[in-house]
Amino acid sequence: MRLLNTHSLKLKSFFGDDIPPYAILSHTWGKTEDEVTFQDMMAEDRSVAEGKAGYKKIRGACQYAQKYMFEWIWIDSCCINKESSAELSEAINSMYVYYEDAQVCYVYLEDAVRSEDIRDERSGFRHCKWFTRGWTLQELLAPSYVVFLDQDWEMIGTRYSLADVISAITSIPVSVFRDGDFDKFSVAQKMSWAAPRQTTRPEDMAYCLFGIFRVSMSPIYGEGGARAFMRLQQEIINISDDRSIFTWVGPYGKNEPRGLLARSPVEFRMSSEVNASKADDIGDTSFSFGNNGLRISLLYPSNQSLLLSPRLQRLRDRHILSAPYSLHLYTAAPSGISRQVLRSICRRLPGSDTSATSQTSWRSFLLRHSNLTYARWS
């Protein structure tokens, strides 16, 4: 990684075990042309860099880090050569680790003032732009120690001391900020934390979540936000059996056919209380991706597997599988399947009422809620 010397403001590359202790800056970008780039810092004539509004922010971060004996700091605007696609891809996939390995993360809030009461709902702190950006979610969660600074580089507090306020702003549980452990939360819950956030480039709404879900993939700017987010979900499915990834809700009033995967974190906005799935009486679930797309197998105690039939695969390819709970809703189960197992399936349906379903056909009930017309028991 490349670090900035807090005294000389010169950049230097480090590798592996040679990386020294460093601070890291988290901030929101102004206009792109106002931020100091790698090329600006490497130029012999620093006049271009010094003439940009972002240069004052770099100097302020370095001076603050010096007070706590940090010789090196990492700042995303100038420590990455964004003209190199290979370096940019590596940085995006390594960003979470950069923040995780930092000794301290300084969060600079140019729209906050230390003197105000931050617990007042009208305070600038509660309405800072920093809390609305996609990239800053991992910058809030990854570091072991986070310090919030106001527009004059005065300390407002730490992530620990402000845990209750930050939780109220972000809807992230206080325990995450107190013990730093968010691996116990489900995929759906983590997605819900990103739901209200935004990024300048649509693809970044997926790319900024790589580290939070411990996945790596090549960023492809131009692919579009929906496709990037679907690729992210595929990578998550490859390493996790947590079925909460399918508990998304589409936009209100839009009933067009949908696939199995969500198109953005916004569709997880109602999933903040969805816990990670666990093996139960319908058995465990395995997922895999191949040339024909997603293949799902629900493993029952009888060791039988309910698989996507050729027709369901065609429906999926035509984006007709629309229910986010579809993995639990293969409806043409044979009459020999136990009512207990079917009840277990029905409990996973939105608004299900298992007592009411006993008055109707199990098959009709499932078909009505799943939007699927055929499944095969194999």
Side-chain angles (χ1 to χ4, degrees):
M1 69 184 304
R2 191 179 291 112
L3 296 173
L4 182 68
N5 189 284
T6 58
H7 298 278
S8 66
L9 270 65
K10 291 184 177 180
L11 293 165
K12 182 177 180 180
S13 296
F14 296 90
F15 303 93
D17 296 335
D18 294 332
I19 299 175
Y22 64 93
I24 198 165
L25 178 68
S26 177
H27 65 109
T28 54
W29 283 40
K31 295 180 180 179
T32 303
E33 59 269 22
D34 290 337
E35 297 293 339
V36 178
T37 67
F38 167 78
Q39 284 71 26
D40 294 334
M41 296 300 289
M42 293 297 291
E44 291 185 10
D45 182 4
R46 285 281 182 90
S47 59
V48 174
E50 292 171 357
K52 292 186 174 183
Y55 192 76
K56 182 179 180 181
K57 184 163 46 180
I58 290 176
R59 287 195 62 87
C62 288
Q63 290 171 358
Y64 194 88
Q66 283 181 40
K67 294 196 299 183
Y68 295 91
M69 309 303 292
F70 283 105
E71 186 178 359
W72 301 97
I73 191 170
W74 190 89
I75 302 174
D76 59 352
S77 57
C78 64
C79 289
I80 304 172
N81 180 8
K82 298 177 181 65
E83 293 184 358
S84 168
S85 58
E87 182 172 330
L88 179 60
S89 176
E90 179 183 359
I92 289 175
N93 280 282
S94 303
M95 195 83 68
Y96 184 91
V97 176
Y98 291 168
Y99 280 89
E100 187 176 39
D101 290 346
Q103 300 294 305
V104 60
C105 174
Y106 298 131
V107 176
Y108 176 63
L109 304 175
E110 59 185 359
D111 41 3
V113 180
R114 179 190 179 187
S115 59
E116 66 182 356
D117 179 8
I118 63 171
R119 287 177 169 77
D120 185 334
E121 292 186 358
R122 297 168 296 178
S123 68
F125 182 83
R126 284 177 172 265
H127 297 91
C128 281
K129 180 182 176 182
W130 190 87
F131 290 109
T132 70
R133 308 307 295 168
W135 286 104
T136 58
L137 177 59
Q138 66 176 358
E139 296 164 16
L140 172 65
L141 299 174
S144 57
Y145 189 61
V146 180
V147 176
F148 290 89
L149 306 170
D150 75 354
Q151 57 188 353
D152 296 320
W153 297 94
E154 295 290 332
M155 181 175 170
I156 300 174
T158 67
R159 183 180 60 191
Y160 187 90
S161 66
L162 302 175
D164 58 329
V165 181
I166 299 171
S167 177
I169 298 170
T170 63
S171 298
I172 300 173
V174 172
S175 63
V176 174
F177 306 126
R178 291 285 164 81
D179 59 28
D181 179 18
F182 61 86
D183 289 335
K184 60 187 177 183
F185 292 91
S186 71
V187 170
Q189 287 172 306
K190 294 174 190 175
M191 289 291 190
S192 74
W193 302 344
R197 294 173 178 260
Q198 299 176 337
T199 56
T200 302
R201 304 190 69 167
E203 296 88 354
D204 280 340
M205 203 59 249
Y207 303 161
C208 72
L209 300 176
F210 286 177
I212 292 174
F213 292 104
R214 318 295 191 194
V215 301
S216 296
M217 66 187 219
S218 299
I220 308 174
Y221 285 104
E223 67 176 323
R227 181 168 177 78
F229 191 64
M230 291 176 74
R231 284 204 298 133
L232 171 65
Q233 292 169 90
Q234 291 176 5
E235 291 298 325
I236 295 171
I237 288 172
N238 283 336
I239 63 171
S240 171
D241 284 333
D242 180 3
R243 296 184 294 255
S244 73
I245 194 171
F246 300 103
T247 58
W248 51 269
V249 178
Y252 178 77
K254 294 185 178 181
N255 299 316
E256 77 274 11
R258 293 288 301 269
L260 289 169
L261 304 178
R263 295 178 183 174
S264 81
V266 173
E267 297 185 341
F268 287 91
R269 63 195 180 280
M270 306 296 291
S271 302
S272 61
E273 296 183 4
V274 178
N275 295 322
S277 60
K278 298 179 181 179
D280 51 24
D281 57 358
I282 68 166
D284 206 350
T285 308
S286 62
F287 312 97
S288 63
F289 281 93
N291 294 332
N292 295 323
L294 181 62
R295 175 184 175 91
I296 309 99
S297 174
L298 294 180
L299 304 181
Y300 286 81
S302 61
N303 293 323
Q304 292 178 304
S305 296
L306 193 60
L307 303 175
L308 278 178
S309 68
R311 179 172 178 181
L312 279 182
Q313 290 180 11
R314 290 194 296 273
L315 291 175
R316 185 229 39 243
D317 293 338
R318 292 164 53 197
H319 304 289
I320 293 177
L321 300 185
S322 60
Y325 293 77
S326 295
L327 292 184
H328 307 289
L329 305 180
Y330 301 122
T331 59
S335 58
I337 188 170
S338 72
R339 177 163 296 195
Q340 178 184 10
V341 171
L342 285 173
R343 282 185 184 275
S344 180
I345 295 174
C346 289
R347 290 193 194 103
R348 289 163 172 74
L349 299 175
S352 64
D353 181 350
T354 54
S355 62
T357 61
S358 62
Q359 302 172 13
T360 61
S361 161
W362 284 103
R363 176 179 168 82
S364 298
F365 177 82
L366 290 172
L367 286 172
R368 188 167 62 252
H369 283 76
S370 67
N371 294 328
L372 301 182
T373 57
Y374 177 76
R376 183 183 61 172
W377 184 263
S378 61

